[in-house]
Amino acid sequence: MDDSGEDIDQMFSTLLGEMDLLTQSLGVDTLPPPEPKPASAEFNYTVGFKDLNESLNALEDQDLDALMADLVADIREAEQRTIQTQKEPAQHQHPSAPLEASSYGGAASADYGMPTARTVSQYENDLPPPPADPMLDLPPPPPPPEPLSPKEGERESKKDKGRRERKERKRARTPQLVVKVHMHDNSTKSLMVDERQLARDVLDNLFEKTHCDYNIDWCLYEIYPELQIERFLEDHENVVEVLSDWTRDTENKVLFLEKEEKYDVFKNPQNFYLDNKGKKEGKETSEKINAKNKESLLEESFCGTSIIVPELEGALYLKEDGKKSWKRRYFLLRASGIYYVPKGKTKTSRDLACFIQFANVNIYYGSQCKMKYKAPTDHCFVLKHPQIQKESQYIKYLCCDDARTLNQWVMGIRIAKYGRTLYDNYQLAVARAGLASRWTKLGTNTAKPAQRAPGPSQPNGGIPQATASISTVHQEAQRSVETTKDKKPAPSSHDPGPPQGGHLRKSVLPPPPPIRRSSDTGGSPSLPPKAPGVKTDCNDRKGDRDDSLLDGHAEHLPSHDKYLSNQLLPNIELLDFQKYKALG
Amino acid sequence: MAGMKTASGDYIDSSWELRVFVGEEDPEAQSVTLRVTGESHIGGVLLKIVEEINRKQDWSDHAIWWEQKRRWLLQTHWTLDKYGILADARLFFGPQHRPVILRLPNRCALRLRASFSKPLFQSVAAICRLLSIRHPEELSLLRAPEKKEKKKKEKEPEEEIYDLTKVVLAGGMAPALYRGMPAHFSDSEQTEACYRMLSRPQPPPDPLLLQRLPRPGSLADKTQLHSRWLDSSRCLMQQNIKAGDTLWLRFKYYSFFDLDPKTDPVRLTQLYEQARWDLLLEEIDCTEEEMMVFAALQYHINKLSQSGAMGEPASPDQGLDDLDAALSNLEVKLEGSAPTDVLDSLTTIPELKDYLRIFRPRKLTLKGYRQHWVVFKETTLSYYKSQEEAPGDPIQQLNLKGCEVVPEVNVSGQKFCIKLLVPSPEGMSEIYLRCQDEQQYAHWMAGCRLAAKGRTMADSSYASEVQAILAFLNLQRAGGGGGSGSQPQGSDASAESLNPHGLVAPRFQRKFKAKQLTPRILEAHQNVAQLSLSEAQLRFIQAWQSLPDFGISYVMVRFKGSRKDEILGIANNRLIRIDLAMGDVVKTWRFSNMRQWNVNWDIRQVAIEFDEHINVAFSCVSASCRIVHEYIGGYIFLSTRERARGEELDEDLFLQLTGGHEAL
């Protein structure tokens, strides 16, 4: 049911994107700066308000254009959602359905009874929604159903009422924030982030805006210049929520950059799970691990009933509260928190003392702690409550001997804190990356590749369930192919879209074929590095890949089987008892 | 055919007399003598025996056991010659299924009929099918430890033994569900009670009993348990188990496949019970903080199961609940995953206002608690000098979102404090609220907890949270009042008079008094109070699995070339060499790097070859090397399971991997 909204979004962002490009190429400032101000001011009234004026001053003209486009798109989205929310109950609550359908007019009743995605999208294409020109009613329209709802509520059951009202309120005041993101080349980009968007959504938005590759290493990076600490925003974190912890006059920044540490544990699990506690030999063996073992290691650590936190222990330096002296202590990481060995005790579980638990703290890298805090080394990590913004005795500083240890601890703590979510995030990132390379490939067929990326708004982009969201990603891709077909019927000599999309809907795993395909012909730069689910034999068979995708997949199955049996029976030849019998 | 005679009575064919005892291995058993030849088939012999006995009875389960060779004669088409049976063979004609007493993971005793003739693997599978536990390959049987002969002093209370010997399962398909339980349990009162015992968690044990039970004092003690595993490829009869013996049923392999609370109530409960006893008897160590979480979960689980809220699978409301869940799911999807917002309660904003005493610890002040008028609305706490000044500006206003809430309660001292650690950009500010009585405390506490999670008192969980807090305070009154606590035994121990000492391992009993324990458990409880019974059990199991020492089975071995005994830890993915005295990990080898392993049964030595030509060899000291061998093979087998195949088991593969020479 979200399809309709997304479709429209899709089209609009495409349209607006094109407009954006046009204006940019003309070099004309089509929009006077003050115009978006009143509009957005109405939107942002919690957190966004104070930041908006500030950031508006810093806006460049280009940014304004982009902002304008975003705003328009958002208004459209809001309208779309109004319609949607009206439609939804109609399909769920049969008793009250006719009533609502009549009260909301033709739109709902036309849709009622044919809830398939296909028909909806057709309907959207045929009938543009009533408010015609988004430019005209820039000041956001007061949501029409608001006055209606109390009257109707009486007729509905209590529960429905509550849910309805909540939904409406939410939509009515989707606060948005103008966020200035610092790019890797020291430029900045401002973008609108609404209350519901997760770091993942913002990243997607940025990918689209910057035309960079969709590498999984891209991340939003939070920097506190005052405290000299920094960290990744995890993909599932709500961006507005994170930023709302900052103070009014903050120097904190959000960066958009590539950090290979972000998902290092999934790329090189052996460095975290097979490390032999500082012994040098561990390093050598760990580098030899092959993709198959990596995958089984990941499966073992993240796919069981509970995830496995890497076994980390060792001496670290702890900054003493309020002093600049550091004390060396033996720390251990457990799923339940960080522990240390008290003086004169052993490191058995029963003697350990709890240092900190993760529920209320975030993990940060410390930068240049040697200078600022007289730390023994510069490899420090910091644990603090997200709301603390100034120096405080409640911030814990720990210092490792080397960078490798530091990375292990930070990653270990992230795994202990976020658990399975981290893995889901990674899988989603890989899916995005794979999808992106597919688009680049498709782009060679039609005109503009980047414009067809998914719209910035992703109403349910935050599903933590990896498989579900991956399949939606693919459906999206599929849909975007369809919409472009409708718009400008390209002379598609071969269009892999429909058959492939149909197939993908059934399969749950991120399927390798599109990735492999694009790597042949498109020469895309962004192959997901060793993603699970991407079988290792892909590369070997590159050469003879010319057949249709479906065939490719069918051919893939047997090898998949073989792969499984190989992996699960790790090279064990059955015991030769006869030999021993003879000996004995 | 056999037994042709001449007129003088001499046998002229090559027939001879075969004596068969009827019954289980009892020397004074009734016996029948048959005239047979070497070509007689076992089937024919069976028929003759039945004729000889001449008693009307269902003999279908009976078969012949050959005592000297310790084997069953189950191939009815084989001849006596093929088996190599001569006249001196001592044969017993007895039932293949015999009653045994099973000690379940929840420590209850259950009498049922187990197959004495099939390999243990199949026998366990049949038992698990009867008990409706999926994935029987993860379980096995242990011999019961030998009892110390001190029975005169300790008069053990008569315990109830559940009986399932009369229940017969139809072969083939999985038993159908009837009235929320597998159909074969719904036959009678007794079997229903038995299913309740299987699928519901047991109340916490008496702390005194807990202290008396043997606990492993060292790593060496932990190896004892694992020396008692029975052999999966041989039948019970071959392992000298007699009818009526006690055996332990336990999860042996710590690799739990596809744990699903919906379909697995018995499996989940028994696993939970095993985990709980593991922790209570200190088979696995955990930290103090972890123990409090385990205790809180146990308390919560016990409360739910006592209150009967258990009925999740059977409850008539299930459909509705599912619908509700689905709807709220849908709602979440539609709304995006935004945090539950503050304005949820536009219609009516419940608020708390009252005079409370407030204390703010500051450096260099000796001020104590001071009375203030406190208003708690949404997630914000404001306080004023007095009620009259309330419309004006408060002395201070605190948003409790994201704060830490710590109970500081002493019921007997009538002290009901809430300690709040409220984060602000400058750090944490500490504030204490002191309430007058339990009621007031429970309401404010519940409000604080919800506010800390960003929810308001309009949240539907508010009322239940208040109730949970009150219930917990009652617990403290009972536990704290009774001192060391001589609690009534067993099922009498209702939630009201629960002793918190029954929830923690004995070493914490010694470390903390009950009244010290209660607030800590209460604190941990607030994070789990909203879980349903199966969710709580699953959480408990997950926390158990997250312990660093989880799932390691210890055996004492001596490595080749070493002069001292060491411990070999076997986990689901690796072997660990552990120092016996210190408990330090010396070396870890992963199964994924293993090329092959060999067992030399004569010198009891296991040799393992890993990648890169790493060879390890050790002889087994505490357990037989076949137990080590079976563990390794078993884990390899378990790793071959796939979701797609469902519950089908490749038994041949299992026996190949774990069997040893008889299996081939």
Side-chain angles (χ1 to χ4, degrees):
Chain A
M1 261 167 302
D2 290 336
D3 294 1
S4 53
E6 277 169 33
D7 263 334
I8 283 286
D9 279 352
Q10 205 88 57
M11 285 165 57
F12 260 97
S13 62
T14 319
L15 243 160
L16 291 167
E18 275 170 44
M19 278 171 56
D20 196 12
L21 277 183
L22 272 173
T23 46
Q24 274 180 28
S25 63
L26 285 173
V28 181
D29 300 338
T30 40
L31 294 170
E35 227 196 323
K37 217 183 228 170
S40 46
E42 289 209 39
F43 269 108
N44 323 333
Y45 76 92
T46 52
V47 202
F49 194 75
K50 64 184 184 216
D51 288 356
L52 178 70
N53 292 329
E54 260 173 42
S55 45
L56 269 180
N57 295 334
L59 287 183
E60 293 147 43
D61 292 338
Q62 260 192 13
D63 284 340
L64 268 182
D65 283 350
L67 223 115
M68 193 64 205
D70 263 354
L71 257 177
V72 169
D74 282 324
I75 292 166
R76 260 355 264 284
E77 188 193 323
E79 281 162 5
Q80 214 44 56
R81 225 167 256 141
T82 322
I83 292 172
Q84 244 171 271
T85 38
Q86 290 159 7
K87 270 190 294 194
E88 257 123 40
Q91 282 172 5
H92 283 284
Q93 310 150 1
H94 285 264
S96 62
L99 187 148
E100 287 183 36
S102 61
S103 66
Y104 293 126
S109 55
D111 186 46
Y112 179 59
M114 30 177 171
T116 59
R118 188 73 193 135
T119 45
V120 169
S121 72
Q122 260 173 3
Y123 146 71
E124 298 290 357
N125 285 338
D126 297 340
L127 303 172
D133 192 353
M135 293 298 189
L136 284 180
D137 46 17
L138 241 188
E146 200 95 281
L148 267 177
S149 64
K151 219 191 287 171
E152 250 178 32
E154 289 161 27
R155 269 171 276 165
E156 283 169 6
S157 74
K158 233 192 214 166
K159 204 183 271 171
D160 292 340
K161 182 179 158 195
R163 192 178 306 133
R164 219 187 143 68
E165 278 175 2
R166 234 174 295 146
K167 215 180 285 163
E168 249 138 47
R169 235 174 292 130
K170 198 158 266 172
R171 182 180 40 69
R173 43 161 213 115
T174 43
Q176 301 200 331
L177 208 58
V178 179
V179 179
K180 196 163 73 175
V181 179
H182 297 249
M183 314 302 287
H184 46 291
D185 56 359
N186 287 329
S187 66
T188 61
K189 267 209 189 320
S190 298
L191 61 154
M192 306 277 301
V193 178
D194 85 38
E195 186 193 36
R196 277 161 297 191
Q197 280 185 311
L198 310 179
R200 178 77 253 159
D201 304 322
V202 176
L203 280 180
D204 290 341
N205 207 343
L206 281 165
F207 284 157
E208 192 194 340
K209 284 194 158 53
T210 56
H211 309 288
C212 66
D213 66 341
Y214 280 44
N215 198 322
I216 59 164
D217 289 338
W218 286 104
C219 57
L220 289 181
Y221 204 67
E222 183 186 16
I223 289 194
Y224 288 66
E226 192 183 339
L227 294 170
Q228 295 186 2
I229 58 174
E230 53 200 53
R231 69 169 189 124
F232 316 102
L233 259 60
E234 302 296 343
D235 286 355
H236 66 275
E237 281 187 271
N238 182 300
V239 176
V240 171
E241 213 163 83
V242 171
L243 300 190
S244 63
D245 287 336
W246 293 3
T247 51
R248 185 178 286 267
D249 51 347
T250 187
E251 292 172 40
N252 297 359
K253 281 188 273 188
V254 173
L255 270 59
F256 175 61
L257 75 175
E258 280 179 282
K259 279 271 177 191
E260 59 176 16
E261 292 94 339
K262 188 181 184 190
Y263 289 127
D264 200 21
V265 68
F266 304 112
K267 291 185 281 185
N268 297 301
Q270 71 281 7
N271 291 345
F272 300 90
Y273 284 97
L274 301 185
D275 201 47
N276 285 346
K277 277 157 212 157
K279 279 177 203 157
K280 288 289 166 278
E281 49 159 349
K283 243 182 214 173
E284 289 156 36
T285 49
S286 64
E287 269 150 33
K288 279 182 204 155
I289 189 165
N290 59 23
K292 197 176 75 185
N293 281 346
K294 269 187 196 178
E295 210 174 304
S296 66
L297 195 59
L298 278 184
E299 196 176 310
E300 186 182 294
S301 312
F302 289 94
C303 300
T305 322
S306 69
I307 57 134
I308 299 173
V309 175
E311 278 181 44
L312 276 180
E313 56 177 81
L316 305 176
Y317 298 94
L318 168 68
K319 183 174 171 290
E320 291 187 72
D321 287 348
K323 293 184 211 160
K324 285 203 173 175
S325 59
W326 297 72
K327 210 176 209 171
R328 199 165 165 85
R329 274 193 185 282
Y330 200 85
F331 286 93
L332 295 95
L333 177 68
R334 295 168 75 101
S336 58
I338 300 180
Y339 293 79
Y340 65 91
V341 181
K343 238 179 214 158
K345 294 282 180 66
T346 64
K347 58 175 196 177
T348 53
S349 299
R350 50 181 69 194
D351 286 343
L352 294 180
C354 187
F355 170 64
I356 202 163
Q357 293 183 304
F358 304 126
N360 288 318
V361 293
N362 278 345
I363 168 92
Y364 301 80
Y365 287 100
S367 66
Q368 296 180 333
C369 288
K370 221 166 159 178
M371 281 263 279
K372 186 163 186 184
Y373 300 112
K374 295 203 168 68
T377 76
D378 259 339
H379 311 291
C380 293
F381 64 92
V382 178
L383 293 154
K384 76 160 186 68
H385 192 288
Q387 273 170 275
I388 300 179
Q389 302 286 316
K390 305 261 159 55
E391 281 203 42
S392 146
Q393 56 165 330
Y394 294 96
I395 304 181
K396 305 287 179 198
Y397 297 85
L398 286 154
C399 180
C400 310
D401 287 331
D402 51 34
R404 183 184 167 83
T405 325
L406 173 67
N407 280 333
Q408 284 179 335
W409 275 93
V410 173
M411 185 56 86
I413 293 166
R414 286 171 67 208
I415 293 170
K417 180 170 168 64
Y418 302 110
R420 172 83 213 220
T421 315
L422 204 61
Y423 188 50
D424 293 342
N425 287 346
Y426 164 72
Q427 286 181 319
L428 198 54
V430 169
R432 294 276 179 197
L435 200 61
S437 60
R438 186 170 135 71
W439 275 326
T440 359
K441 155 71 176 62
L442 279 170
T444 53
N445 276 350
T446 49
K448 291 191 195 87
Q451 297 301 336
R452 233 173 298 115
S457 57
Q458 198 77 58
N460 53 354
I463 325 162
Q465 245 278 313
T467 48
S469 36
I470 285 165
S471 61
T472 48
V473 168
H474 284 291
Q475 283 184 17
E476 232 169 77
Q478 147 78 356
R479 223 178 304 118
S480 78
V481 172
E482 277 174 7
T483 43
T484 41
K485 252 204 313 191
D486 291 347
K487 266 200 309 191
K488 25 186 157 175
S492 56
S493 53
H494 80 134
D495 188 344
Q500 215 243 323
H503 166 243
L504 283 181
R505 256 171 236 201
K506 271 173 241 155
S507 72
V508 188
L509 277 175
I515 297 160
R516 191 197 315 155
R517 188 166 183 82
S518 58
S519 69
D520 303 337
T521 42
S524 135
S526 61
L527 261 177
K530 290 142 207 157
V534 178
K535 300 296 175 266
T536 43
D537 54 345
C538 293
N539 299 327
D540 311 343
R541 307 152 109 249
K542 244 188 222 173
D544 52 353
R545 196 120 306 278
D546 217 0
D547 38 6
S548 94
L549 281 167
L550 276 175
D551 283 356
H553 192 82
E555 205 182 301
H556 197 66
L557 274 175
S559 70
H560 175 75
D561 270 349
K562 190 185 80 197
Y563 158 79
L564 268 178
S565 58
N566 268 348
Q567 179 215 355
L568 295 172
L569 274 177
N571 300 334
I572 290 164
E573 291 148 33
L574 281 179
L575 334 175
D576 188 357
F577 299 104
Q578 299 302 328
K579 188 174 74 189
Y580 269 118
K581 256 191 158 171
L583 283 173
Chain B
M1 289 291 280
M4 274 201 290
K5 286 189 254 192
T6 59
S8 62
D10 298 325
Y11 289 99
I12 52 164
D13 59 359
S14 57
S15 69
W16 36 274
E17 282 192 340
L18 180 69
R19 189 161 174 227
V20 179
F21 297 90
V22 179
E24 295 160 22
E25 276 181 284
D26 176 9
E28 269 119 65
Q30 174 197 355
S31 70
V32 291
T33 309
L34 315 167
R35 192 112 198 132
V36 294
T37 66
E39 274 87 51
S40 302
H41 293 266
I42 299 293
V45 173
L46 288 174
L47 213 60
K48 267 193 187 163
I49 297 172
V50 173
E51 278 169 10
E52 282 291 324
I53 299 171
N54 197 16
R55 184 157 18 113
K56 279 237 161 98
Q57 187 184 333
D58 178 12
W59 298 104
S60 59
D61 190 44
H62 280 55
I64 300 172
W65 165 255
W66 185 2
E67 195 191 54
Q68 290 103 325
K69 294 275 184 192
R70 312 204 55 73
R71 66 184 295 184
W72 289 91
L73 311 181
L74 293 176
Q75 306 284 355
T76 47
H77 59 279
W78 279 24
T79 60
L80 294 178
D81 278 351
K82 188 160 183 189
Y83 269 117
I85 290 172
L86 299 172
D88 64 346
R90 275 174 69 82
L91 301 180
F92 288 85
F93 181 64
Q96 294 178 56
H97 288 81
R98 300 179 189 182
V100 288
I101 295 174
L102 275 195
R103 184 71 59 180
L104 299 171
N106 65 2
R107 312 278 148 155
C108 290
L110 173 68
R111 185 181 291 111
L112 50 66
R113 289 186 182 278
S115 167
F116 272 61
S117 62
K118 294 203 183 100
L120 186 72
F121 184 73
Q122 288 178 18
S123 190
V124 171
I127 291 172
C128 288
R129 212 161 67 87
L130 182 69
L131 305 182
S132 71
I133 297 176
R134 287 161 71 229
H135 296 290
E137 66 275 15
E138 289 160 8
L139 294 95
S140 191
L141 297 174
L142 297 122
R143 288 172 209 278
E146 278 150 43
K147 278 201 183 120
K148 288 164 200 149
E149 297 300 321
K150 286 196 292 181
K151 274 191 181 158
K152 278 169 197 165
K153 275 185 189 170
E154 292 177 36
K155 43 179 193 293
E156 288 187 8
E158 273 301 305
E159 69 167 335
E160 187 181 0
I161 297 182
Y162 295 86
D163 197 344
L164 280 183
T165 46
K166 301 207 173 51
V167 175
V168 183
L169 257 193
M173 299 304 292
L177 280 184
Y178 178 71
R179 285 196 290 153
M181 61 184 85
H184 57 275
F185 281 112
S186 56
D187 291 346
S188 67
E189 288 280 302
Q190 285 81 9
T191 51
E192 273 183 36
C194 180
Y195 185 72
R196 271 199 300 281
M197 174 275 288
L198 285 167
S199 60
R200 285 193 189 192
Q202 298 293 305
D206 176 19
L208 293 177
L209 177 81
L210 205 55
Q211 276 173 339
R212 273 208 312 274
L213 286 172
R215 296 186 301 275
S218 64
L219 264 181
D221 288 351
K222 287 185 188 175
T223 64
Q224 291 310 314
L225 176 79
H226 299 287
S227 63
R228 306 204 312 265
W229 289 110
L230 291 174
D231 185 342
S232 307
S233 55
R234 293 191 297 156
C235 67
L236 286 176
M237 199 74 176
Q238 285 168 327
Q239 306 186 56
N240 291 325
I241 306 297
K242 306 239 173 6
D245 277 2
T246 300
L247 297 171
W248 287 13
L249 179 71
R250 289 289 185 277
F251 290 87
K252 178 178 184 185
Y253 300 104
Y254 294 88
S255 165
F256 312 117
F257 194 70
D258 187 22
L259 210 52
D260 179 3
K262 278 251 159 60
T263 53
D264 275 349
V266 178
R267 182 165 172 236
L268 189 74
T269 303
Q270 296 303 322
L271 194 52
Y272 157 73
E273 291 281 357
Q274 184 162 335
R276 169 163 80 137
W277 282 99
D278 249 19
L279 285 154
L280 290 181
L281 294 183
E282 300 174 13
E283 288 282 347
I284 185 165
D285 271 343
C286 65
T287 64
E288 211 174 286
E289 286 73 19
E290 287 157 354
M291 195 75 227
M292 296 308 144
V293 175
F294 285 123
L297 280 166
Q298 282 180 72
Y299 166 74
H300 186 63
I301 289 166
N302 182 55
K303 197 181 66 178
L304 288 181
S305 90
Q306 298 258 328
S307 69
M310 147 77 199
E312 283 159 318
S315 85
D317 292 344
Q318 191 201 6
L320 281 177
D321 287 350
D322 277 0
L323 195 65
D324 268 357
L327 276 174
S328 64
N329 245 337
L330 185 69
E331 194 182 334
V332 168
K333 268 189 203 152
L334 294 173
E335 291 177 354
S337 55
T340 41
D341 59 358
V342 183
L343 288 179
D344 258 6
S345 43
L346 257 187
T347 42
T348 48
I349 307 169
E351 54 179 21
L352 289 171
K353 35 188 156 185
D354 212 338
Y355 276 107
L356 295 182
R357 281 178 293 167
I358 288 183
F359 170 55
R360 307 211 58 180
R362 287 205 181 86
K363 273 175 196 164
L364 306 172
T365 48
L366 294 168
K367 280 181 196 160
Y369 283 95
R370 284 194 156 193
Q371 183 123 316
H372 288 283
W373 176 251
V374 191
V375 177
F376 187 12
K377 200 170 178 180
E378 289 177 1
T379 61
T380 312
L381 195 75
S382 327
Y383 61 91
Y384 307 84
K385 257 195 187 136
S386 67
Q387 192 174 357
E388 290 70 43
E389 291 181 22
D393 287 338
I395 300 174
Q396 199 188 12
Q397 197 161 33
L398 295 161
N399 189 349
L400 301 190
K401 208 173 163 185
C403 79
E404 266 179 65
V405 185
V406 186
E408 302 228 329
V409 181
N410 185 340
V411 177
S412 51
Q414 286 294 299
K415 179 187 164 203
F416 302 101
C417 286
I418 304 168
K419 178 183 170 191
L420 299 171
L421 269 173
V422 188
S424 66
E426 286 75 32
M428 302 289 220
S429 45
E430 226 174 291
I431 182 167
Y432 290 78
L433 307 178
R434 184 158 187 170
C435 303
Q436 284 156 3
D437 53 28
E438 285 169 42
Q439 283 296 333
Q440 193 184 39
Y441 168 81
H443 283 93
W444 285 81
M445 186 69 180
C448 291
R449 281 184 187 172
L450 285 173
K453 291 180 208 151
R455 286 186 276 171
T456 70
M457 285 171 279
D459 199 279
S460 57
S461 60
Y462 178 65
S464 63
E465 186 88 35
V466 172
Q467 286 313 310
I469 294 167
L470 284 173
F472 217 104
L473 292 176
N474 277 333
L475 155 70
Q476 180 174 13
R477 175 171 300 136
S484 64
S486 52
Q487 295 289 324
Q489 287 251 336
S491 55
D492 304 345
S494 70
E496 298 308 313
S497 60
L498 190 71
N499 188 333
H501 273 164
L503 302 172
V504 297
R507 67 193 175 89
F508 296 104
Q509 295 183 21
R510 288 191 297 271
K511 195 167 171 186
F512 299 106
K513 287 183 195 141
K515 67 177 178 191
Q516 294 173 303
L517 217 45
T518 318
R520 298 202 57 183
I521 299 176
L522 177 62
E523 192 186 336
H525 182 248
Q526 65 187 6
N527 294 321
V528 299
Q530 299 303 322
L531 298 178
S532 77
L533 180 62
S534 55
E535 281 168 349
Q537 285 182 317
L538 199 59
R539 180 75 69 86
F540 191 96
I541 293 166
Q542 284 171 342
W544 175 52
Q545 286 180 308
S546 300
L547 296 175
D549 294 337
F550 163 79
I552 304 177
S553 310
Y554 301 96
V555 276
M556 203 184 292
V557 297
R558 181 166 295 188
F559 280 89
K560 203 173 169 184
S562 168
R563 281 159 174 247
K564 58 178 194 287
D565 287 343
E566 279 169 276
I567 299 288
L568 181 75
I570 308 166
N572 65 352
N573 56 1
R574 63 198 194 276
L575 295 172
I576 311 157
R577 182 174 181 170
I578 302 167
D579 186 279
L580 177 57
M582 302 297 292
D584 289 342
V585 172
V586 178
K587 180 93 184 130
T588 301
W589 302 279
R590 298 176 54 83
F591 289 149
S592 57
N593 297 331
M594 189 160 72
R595 282 182 185 281
Q596 63 168 340
W597 80 97
N598 295 299
V599 183
N600 185 333
W601 302 104
D602 299 314
I603 57 169
R604 291 166 49 103
Q605 181 173 305
V606 180
I608 309 176
E609 185 192 338
F610 293 94
D611 284 346
E612 296 162 25
H613 308 292
I614 299 167
N615 285 294
V616 180
F618 52 83
S619 56
C620 302
V621 180
S622 71
S624 93
C625 59
R626 84 159 301 118
I627 286 174
V628 176
H629 163 58
E630 230 184 81
Y631 255 121
I632 298 175
Y635 275 127
I636 303 292
F637 172 77
L638 294 190
S639 71
T640 65
R641 293 184 293 181
E642 289 168 48
R643 207 161 288 261
R645 256 213 321 262
E647 286 163 54
E648 266 173 58
L649 279 181
D650 187 350
E651 190 194 332
D652 290 343
L653 180 62
F654 180 85
L655 292 179
Q656 257 178 358
L657 284 167
T658 61
H661 42 99
E662 305 97 324
L664 293 182

